[in-house]
Amino acid sequence: MLLAFFVTGQFQVSASYLPDFRLLLLAFGLSWAFGLCFTTFTASLEAFQRFDLSSRLAVFNTILRASSIATLLGLGYGLRGAAAAAVCCQWIFYLLSLVTFLRVFPGFRLSLALADRAMLGRLGRFGWDTLPSTAAWLLLLQGPALLIGRLLPTAYVGYYMVAHRLVQTSLELVWRVGSVTNSKTAELASHGRMDDIARLAERANRLCFMLYAPIALGALVFGDRLLATWYSERLASQSGLALMLLASAAWFAEAGQFNSSSVLFGLARQRVYSRLLLGEALVTMAGMAAVIGAGGLAGAAAVAAAAMLVNRAIVLPWLTCRVLAIPVTRFWWAIHGRTLGAAAVAVVFGYAIRAGMLPGRTLLEVLAASGLMTVVYGLVAFRWALTATEREDLTARIRARWKR
């Protein structure tokens, strides 16, 4: 937070916006500092598999924050109003997390007398192995904006972050599934059920890869038209290719393999992956700095996508299979193989309707075309990508819902 008064000169921010920029750094820095303590309560809820409560808190916080920021911006309060709304909503989330935790664990007491040196040592070792991945995620999520703001005019930060944020927001469901996989892996490991953990990793990755496919395919075929009709043609020209690259890479590296990293963390075998992720972040930042002058935002996105694919779509599954003692080729094919066939059919259909009846001239056309492509993908994936048992289970669930 103290650095807010010293680092502002490193970014191309006009003098009129400097006070607001410093206020944002101070406000969010303070909020994140307290978040290091308060997020322990939501993490504890998830450790006991109370995802129903943590998910409700997350959804409530997202709706409250988005509506508050939109309202204050609409009333003309600008960046200061948006920052105040975001910080206040975050504090409400912290307090609700504490209240929810105390209701679930009414006997909770905070006392130094209850501290256990052996447990502190175990937590310290786990935290030491996890620290590189935490630093890596901060760098991967926030680093591109800082780097682009240093090397290019400030407007380009917004161009890149639109694509970046759209992809990150669309991955929220995958990350939620990963949280469940993490705690379930720890439970199965405590009973020595490694075969079940291998099946869990394979199925969770496969279903996430299948579910994220419509988003990735929509970004690939209609991503530029979505940005053009929703925002502007100028933004689409700057961010369209970046959105396609980042969404496609995230489909394989995040949706297809995030649960593999969750399994490693659940087994407390994350040391190597944690350092690899930090290496990916450093390579990404160095590569972006090298190409951004000549390649622009598309070059920066290409570097980020390539590093993500190599580390998280290739190295991570190999590392996971090594820990679980299963063949990596079978693991990779079980996750991606059949879904890619359904995706290929949907992409051909998508480009066909874009070249014909729905070229994406309006936002309604883009949504309609993406919806039709999703339907085609869903029908093919239902037959090709799901197992017979999964098809029967899904059909039974739909019939039960329909009868209600």
Side-chain angles (χ1 to χ4, degrees):
M1 292 183 290
L2 293 175
L3 291 176
F5 294 98
F6 301 102
V7 301
T8 50
Q10 302 300 315
F11 300 95
Q12 301 180 38
V13 181
S14 62
S16 60
Y17 285 106
L18 273 178
D20 289 343
F21 186 52
R22 287 173 177 157
L23 178 64
L24 288 173
L25 288 176
L26 285 170
F28 286 108
L30 184 64
S31 177
W32 289 348
F34 280 95
L36 293 174
C37 300
F38 281 92
T39 51
T40 303
F41 300 114
T42 52
S44 299
L45 290 173
E46 292 183 351
F48 281 86
Q49 302 192 26
R50 292 306 307 268
F51 297 101
D52 56 331
L53 299 177
S54 61
S55 297
R56 289 173 190 170
L57 288 171
V59 170
F60 174 77
N61 181 53
T62 300
I63 295 174
L64 180 63
R65 184 174 65 245
S67 59
S68 300
I69 291 175
T71 300
L72 290 175
L73 288 176
L75 293 174
Y77 286 96
L79 287 176
R80 290 176 179 261
V87 172
C88 288
C89 291
Q90 197 63 36
W91 271 101
I92 292 173
F93 174 73
Y94 294 154
L95 293 175
L96 289 176
S97 299
L98 174 59
V99 170
T100 304
F101 175 82
L102 292 176
R103 286 183 176 177
V104 175
F105 304 102
F108 172 74
R109 287 195 304 120
L110 184 63
S111 172
L112 288 176
L114 299 175
D116 183 272
R117 183 173 298 179
M119 178 57 70
L120 181 62
R122 290 174 60 190
L123 291 174
R125 288 190 294 272
F126 185 88
W128 180 254
D129 291 341
T130 305
L131 182 61
S133 67
T134 303
W137 275 114
L138 288 173
L139 196 56
L140 289 169
L141 293 176
Q142 309 300 333
L146 297 175
L147 187 63
I148 294 169
R150 181 71 179 87
L151 300 177
L152 296 175
T154 309
Y156 285 82
V157 177
Y159 294 146
Y160 185 86
M161 292 309 291
V162 166
H164 184 75
R165 291 295 186 190
L166 283 173
V167 172
Q168 297 302 314
T169 302
S170 66
L171 287 167
E172 184 66 30
L173 176 62
V174 175
W175 294 338
R176 290 285 165 187
V177 174
S179 297
V180 179
T181 300
N182 186 313
S183 61
K184 189 64 178 178
T185 297
E187 177 190 342
L188 293 172
S190 66
H191 298 287
R193 298 165 58 183
M194 297 300 291
D195 290 343
D196 289 337
I197 293 175
R199 283 190 288 269
L200 172 65
E202 178 184 305
R203 190 180 187 197
N205 280 326
R206 179 167 58 84
L207 293 179
C208 285
F209 188 70
M210 288 176 55
L211 290 173
Y212 193 78
I215 296 174
L217 300 180
L220 178 65
V221 180
F222 293 101
D224 58 332
R225 298 312 307 156
L226 173 66
L227 295 177
T229 55
W230 188 9
Y231 292 103
S232 66
E233 291 286 352
R234 177 173 174 75
L235 189 142
S237 66
Q238 295 289 342
S239 307
L241 184 55
L243 177 61
M244 296 179 194
L245 291 171
L246 293 175
S248 299
W251 184 28
F252 286 89
E254 285 283 346
Q257 292 297 333
F258 185 76
N259 286 277
S260 295
S261 65
S262 297
V263 166
L264 294 179
F265 278 92
L267 292 171
R269 298 287 298 275
Q270 77 275 18
R271 176 185 296 179
V272 175
Y273 171 68
S274 190
R275 284 155 177 74
L276 287 171
L277 192 62
L278 181 58
E280 176 195 331
L282 295 174
V283 168
T284 298
M285 293 299 102
M288 290 177 72
V291 307
I292 200 169
L297 298 183
V303 169
M308 188 192 312
L309 286 171
V310 170
N311 186 41
R312 285 180 266 169
I314 298 175
V315 178
L316 174 58
W318 172 81
L319 184 61
T320 305
C321 290
R322 184 179 178 184
V323 171
L324 297 176
I326 58 176
V328 64
T329 52
R330 189 191 71 187
F331 182 72
W332 200 93
W333 177 257
I335 294 169
H336 305 93
R338 293 178 178 271
T339 300
L340 288 176
V345 174
V347 167
V348 172
F349 175 79
Y351 278 116
I353 59 175
R354 175 167 177 166
M357 60 179 181
L358 293 172
R361 291 178 294 246
T362 66
L363 180 59
L364 184 61
E365 278 193 6
V366 173
L367 295 177
S370 299
L372 287 174
M373 190 169 63
T374 299
V375 170
V376 171
Y377 164 77
L379 292 174
V380 179
F382 180 81
R383 184 64 185 87
W384 281 2
L386 292 177
T387 65
T389 302
E390 289 168 343
R391 287 196 298 271
E392 292 173 2
D393 182 61
L394 180 59
T395 302
R397 289 175 179 271
I398 293 174
R399 287 174 178 171
R401 291 278 185 181
W402 182 262
K403 290 179 179 179
R404 290 182 184 179

